């Protein structure tokens, strides 16, 4: 598959100067994930972006020359563009122009697998494109053929706005039905007393790798942004028998388009019902602090800041562990690629479980083998001693607050 030749454009302003370079680097990675080849990067410093063309007339002329010299096929701006700005630059350069938001939407369209994921992407794309229909004749004809064009095809994006509004309403209705089904599944999991762990973190931090490490889920995990889009829940069993679920979620990113926060609300909501969150951080990233802050800020927006969190600093094999200074607590430093990494992670999770769960002691008659195996599966058993004088097992462990094993009445 041949890659599309892309020119990236970014303006460093007083507002974004602190993370401008990181943001441009991320735009390059996003372009690579969308199968684009960056042939040139045009940047400019100015107090604020130009109201008409983001970069101003002089730079637009430069952009035209570079586009010609590098035989570019697409221009990607690192700023959300208004319909008018997009139209003016497209007309001047004579090439399709998209912005960071459209690029992210496009990658989400590539990655969506489940019905809900596809519907959410389609909704976000339709809502984003609705105000941009005027003057998009040329770029709309590219739909289905290149970066920024995946998802709703040309037939779905007729210039009749009413048709698109009706389509948006239809997608929203479908999403409501799918969300209701997901909610029922979530309630079923919560009522089953199963302890639930959610994986969250910046995109490409290694969440899917950790899910695979713990559950042998064999999910798609690659060094790419947004490798996972649809939430995936897998069962994980401790060596002692305790069964819990682990859910992987979509990765967070700086300047996540608001359309996606809305459209993927239910996807991220999956993390809100968890008993423990594992915040996976790429310890080797030069932008680690910024990435941590991005995730914490989005957790705040999603009312998740009160939830118990264990920070998992991943990719320890790519740094000097002796000089590494963590910023979030409690934490564990691991390499998800190593067997020792798995041991360290399991130990740290167990420590958190013992803080979150309630200790119990139960006497189980030796002829109640079924009860014993249920205890091992539904609680974290730490001790199991056979008492000959009582012909029973003294079991000590930890269980969820609402667990039947904490009730005082006789369960046997």
């Amino acid at each position: 598959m041949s890659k599309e030749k892309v020119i990236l454009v970014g303006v460093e302003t007083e507002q974004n100067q602190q993370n401008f370079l990181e943001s441009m680097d991320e735009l390059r990675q996003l372009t690579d994930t969308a199968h684009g080849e960056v042939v040139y990067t045009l940047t400019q410093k100015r107090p604020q972006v130009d109201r008409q063309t983001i970069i101003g007339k002089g730079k637009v002329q430069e952009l035209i020359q570079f586009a010609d010299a590098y035989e570019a096929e697409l221009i990607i701006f690192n700023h959300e563009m208004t319909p008018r700005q997009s139209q003016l630059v497209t007309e001047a350069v004579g090439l399709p122009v998209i912005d960071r938001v459209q690029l992210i939407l496009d990658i989400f369209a590539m990655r969506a697998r489940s019905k809900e994921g596809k519907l959410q992407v389609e909704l976000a794309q339709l809502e984003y494109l609705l105000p941009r229909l005027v003057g998009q004749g040329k770029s709309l004809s590219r739909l289905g053929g290149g970066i920024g064009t995946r998802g709703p095809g040309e037939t779905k994006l007729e210039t009749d706005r009413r048709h698109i509004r009706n389509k948006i309403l239809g997608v929203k209705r479908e999403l409501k039905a799918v969300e209701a089904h997901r909610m029922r599944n979530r309630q079923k999991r919560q009522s089953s007393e199963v302890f639930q762990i959610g994986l969250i973190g910046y995109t490409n931090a290694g969440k899917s790798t950790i899910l695979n490490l713990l559950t042998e889920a064999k999910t798609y995990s690659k060094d790419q942004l947004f490798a996972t889009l649809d939430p995936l829940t897998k069962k994980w069993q401790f060596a002692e028998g305790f069964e819990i679920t682990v859910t992987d979620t979509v990765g967070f990113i700086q300047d996540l388009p608001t359309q996606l926060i809305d459209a993927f609300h239910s996807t991220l909501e999956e993390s809100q019902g968890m008993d423990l969150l594992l915040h996976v951080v790429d310890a080797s990233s030069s932008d680690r602090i910024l990435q941590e802050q991005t995730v914490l800020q989005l957790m705040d927006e999603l009312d998740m800041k009160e939830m118990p969190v264990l920070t998992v600093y991943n990719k320890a094999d790519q740094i000097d562990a002796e000089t590494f200074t963590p910023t979030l607590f409690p934490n564990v430093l691991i390499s998800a690629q190593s067997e020792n990494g798995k041991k360290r992670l399991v130990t740290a999770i167990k420590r958190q479980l013992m803080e979150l769960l309630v200790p119990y002691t139960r006497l189980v008659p030796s002829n109640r083998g079924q009860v014993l195996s249920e205890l091992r599966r539904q609680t974290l058993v730490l001790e199991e001693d056979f008492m000959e004088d009582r012909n029973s097992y003294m079991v000590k462990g930890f269980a969820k607050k609402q667990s039947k094993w904490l009730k005082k009445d006789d369960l046997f």
Side-chain angles (χ1 to χ4, degrees):
M1 180 179 164
S2 64
K3 292 192 168 189
E4 230 173 326
K5 291 182 178 177
V6 177
I7 289 180
L8 304 182
V9 182
V11 177
E12 184 179 343
T13 64
E14 289 163 3
Q15 284 79 36
N16 70 9
Q17 60 186 9
Q18 276 189 310
N19 62 359
F20 177 70
L21 292 175
E22 291 87 350
S23 182
M24 287 302 293
D25 185 49
E26 198 165 77
L27 188 69
R28 179 181 284 273
Q29 289 179 61
L30 287 165
T31 305
D32 182 57
T33 298
H35 308 308
E37 179 194 351
V38 178
V39 291
Y40 189 75
T41 301
L42 181 72
T43 58
Q44 181 184 32
K45 267 190 186 184
R46 44 187 303 150
Q48 57 197 57
V49 297
D50 184 86
R51 282 198 306 204
Q52 288 196 299
T53 56
I54 305 276
I55 51 175
K57 285 180 185 169
K59 279 285 177 189
V60 169
Q61 289 310 308
E62 272 186 50
L63 183 57
I64 294 167
Q65 289 166 6
F66 285 124
D68 190 39
Y70 288 97
E71 297 178 346
E73 298 162 84
L74 177 68
I75 313 293
I76 303 179
F77 275 73
N78 195 28
H79 312 264
E80 185 168 348
M81 300 173 88
T82 66
R84 181 72 180 142
Q85 286 168 339
S86 182
Q87 188 185 346
L88 287 171
V89 179
T90 301
E91 285 171 0
V93 185
L95 286 173
V97 174
I98 67 169
D99 61 18
R100 184 187 180 92
V101 177
Q102 260 175 293
L103 177 61
I104 293 173
L105 287 171
D106 189 66
I107 294 168
F108 272 44
M110 283 167 63
R111 296 274 180 256
R113 293 286 176 270
S114 70
K115 183 182 179 184
E116 183 179 20
K118 286 174 181 171
L119 284 169
Q120 286 170 328
V121 171
E122 187 173 357
L123 176 63
Q125 287 179 315
L126 288 167
E127 287 183 334
Y128 186 74
L129 289 168
L130 182 60
R132 290 165 170 77
L133 287 171
V134 181
Q136 279 230 1
K138 276 186 195 168
S139 51
L140 282 186
S141 66
R142 298 176 75 243
L143 286 164
I147 298 171
T149 67
R150 300 174 182 99
E154 192 176 4
T155 51
K156 287 181 182 171
L157 288 176
E158 298 159 16
T159 46
D160 178 0
R161 285 163 176 268
R162 198 179 318 144
H163 170 82
I164 291 188
R165 286 202 182 97
N166 289 339
K167 180 72 193 153
I168 286 172
L169 286 172
V171 173
K172 281 183 173 174
R173 266 197 301 271
E174 276 193 83
L175 261 177
K176 277 225 159 22
V178 178
E179 280 171 14
H181 177 68
R182 187 191 284 285
M183 178 67 85
R184 284 195 295 274
N185 282 351
R186 198 183 303 147
Q187 284 169 344
K188 207 184 286 179
R189 279 208 307 273
Q190 283 171 341
S191 63
S192 73
E193 294 189 11
V194 175
F195 192 90
Q196 298 172 81
I197 288 179
L199 291 165
I200 59 159
Y202 209 77
T203 183
N204 202 28
K207 295 184 298 301
S208 297
T209 309
I210 283 173
L211 180 74
N212 293 339
L213 183 77
L214 295 176
T215 68
E216 293 163 9
K218 297 181 178 63
T219 60
Y220 182 74
S221 60
K222 211 169 177 195
D223 188 20
Q224 280 182 333
L225 301 183
F226 300 121
T228 303
L229 184 57
D230 299 305
L232 176 70
T233 300
K234 289 286 171 187
K235 193 185 282 184
W236 172 36
Q237 191 167 33
F238 276 65
E240 296 85 351
F242 187 32
E243 284 181 0
I244 62 182
T245 62
V246 186
T247 300
D248 192 8
T249 57
V250 62
F252 294 72
I253 193 167
Q254 280 186 66
D255 310 320
L256 186 72
T258 49
Q259 293 87 345
L260 284 177
I261 290 185
D262 296 340
F264 285 81
H265 191 66
S266 63
T267 306
L268 295 168
E269 249 182 9
E270 198 70 5
S271 304
Q272 290 174 321
M274 299 293 153
D275 299 297
L276 172 66
L277 293 175
L278 299 186
H279 175 189
V280 185
V281 178
D282 178 354
S284 70
S285 172
S286 55
D287 311 323
R288 191 192 96 211
I289 307 293
L290 181 72
Q291 293 176 2
E292 287 178 355
Q293 286 168 351
T294 301
V295 173
L296 296 176
Q297 190 182 331
L298 278 163
M299 281 176 66
D300 199 5
E301 285 170 26
L302 289 160
D303 295 325
M304 289 161 60
K305 65 173 184 179
E306 298 303 318
M307 294 178 69
V309 179
L310 169 66
T311 301
V312 181
Y313 286 109
N314 188 25
K315 308 190 184 181
D317 52 317
Q318 296 174 31
I319 59 163
D320 178 4
E322 297 297 314
T323 58
F324 178 74
T325 311
T327 35
L328 300 176
F329 299 87
N331 64 63
V332 59
L333 175 64
I334 69 156
S335 164
Q337 305 292 347
S338 70
E339 194 53 43
N340 187 42
K342 182 177 180 177
K343 281 182 198 157
R344 287 174 65 86
L345 180 58
V346 173
T347 303
I349 291 172
K350 261 191 202 166
R351 207 164 35 238
Q352 287 303 113
L353 287 178
M354 287 189 272
E355 282 186 29
L356 297 169
L357 300 175
V358 180
Y360 73 85
T361 303
R362 302 235 47 151
L363 206 59
V364 183
S366 61
N367 62 350
R368 304 306 299 265
Q370 179 64 31
V371 171
L372 209 53
S373 68
E374 260 188 73
L375 255 178
R376 290 181 194 130
R377 210 173 59 249
Q378 294 173 10
T379 73
L380 179 60
V381 172
L382 294 185
E383 282 181 49
E384 206 178 291
D385 298 314
F386 183 63
M387 305 179 75
E388 281 189 42
D389 56 328
R390 302 178 76 167
N391 196 27
S392 297
Y393 288 91
M394 178 72 79
V395 182
K396 290 182 180 179
F398 290 81
K400 281 183 85 169
K401 275 177 192 163
Q402 65 270 42
S403 173
K404 64 181 182 183
W405 303 108
L406 298 179
K407 291 173 185 164
K408 296 294 176 201
D409 56 325
D410 188 15
L411 292 164
F412 319 123

